[in-house]
Amino acid sequence: MTPRNATLRFTIAIALALGATVAGAEVTVADAWVRGTVAGQKATGAFMQLKSSADTALVSAASPVAAVVEIHEMAHEGGVMRMRAIGELKLPAGKAVELRPGGYHVMLMDLKRPLKLGERVPVELRLETRDKRMLTQPVEVEVPVLAPDGPADVDHVVVGDRALGDAVGDLEAAALVGEVAQPCAQLR
């Protein structure tokens, strides 16, 4: 074998090994939970810690308990809490990414039924690797707590680009008309 052939074989072996690592990205899920709901409540959030062995992105999710599932972020901007859907949540290799109340979360909307204390809710995370391969990660998410009455430390809530004004009053009104504002109550 010539030195050139040996170098070529070595390069191909490294490329294949790296490709297998990216394609086989392993995503671990820890501390997964979803806030329980009360009758008439149409939305809630799921929270967890995600850690990927390779650069990956959480691009969507699904659950049989909700008609719509999106990846959302919340940010406190000038005394106003803003919540919006995002196209993807990057999961850098080896770094834990927190999905928590008041931050990134999986938003379950148009709930088909209330989520009861103690039950386990199936959620499927859909991930995309750096080389654009799609992976799915099923997760059983526990319901350890029910929704609180309303936010304690937020003056106003913004969902998308719409200001809802008084957080507590508008969260109650939003629940009656089916608006997606419930995650803002998770700041308590």
Side-chain angles (χ1 to χ4, degrees):
M1 176 182 323
T2 67
R4 180 181 165 113
N5 285 345
T7 302
L8 181 60
R9 283 185 181 192
F10 179 75
T11 303
I12 290 171
I14 293 296
L16 289 172
L18 289 175
T21 301
V22 173
E26 191 174 307
V27 177
T28 57
V29 179
D31 304 322
W33 64 282
V34 62
R35 192 176 305 277
T37 61
V38 295
Q41 185 177 338
K42 292 305 220 176
T44 192
F47 313 97
M48 62 200 74
Q49 181 186 82
L50 301 174
K51 188 173 184 180
S52 180
S53 62
D55 288 341
T56 308
L58 175 62
V59 294
S60 67
S63 177
V65 303
V68 178
V69 182
E70 296 177 343
I71 311 305
H72 280 203
E73 72 174 336
M74 290 184 73
H76 203 224
E77 300 170 1
V80 176
M81 185 57 76
R82 294 187 177 273
M83 177 178 66
R84 61 186 139 261
I86 57 175
E88 69 177 16
L89 176 60
K90 296 213 181 284
L91 305 177
K95 182 178 178 189
V97 176
E98 294 285 335
L99 281 68
R100 59 181 173 70
Y104 295 113
H105 57 278
V106 175
M107 187 74 192
L108 303 167
M109 299 177 287
D110 293 333
L111 293 172
K112 297 175 182 177
R113 61 176 177 75
L115 304 183
K116 297 181 177 161
L117 190 65
E119 82 172 288
R120 298 187 71 73
V121 176
V123 175
E124 180 183 85
L125 303 177
R126 296 174 181 159
L127 306 138
E128 185 177 75
T129 64
R130 186 173 41 192
D131 64 351
K132 305 297 183 197
R133 295 185 80 179
M134 295 302 295
L135 307 172
T136 58
Q137 175 81 32
V139 180
E140 289 288 320
V141 185
E142 184 180 358
V143 181
V145 295
L146 292 178
D149 296 331
D153 63 347
V154 178
D155 294 330
H156 290 79
V157 175
V158 174
V159 176
D161 292 327
R162 183 170 158 241
L164 295 178
D166 171 66
V168 175
D170 279 337
L171 283 175
E172 292 168 358
L176 292 175
V177 297
E179 291 287 338
V180 182
Q182 184 59 35
C184 299
Q186 298 165 353
L187 299 173
R188 192 176 270 268

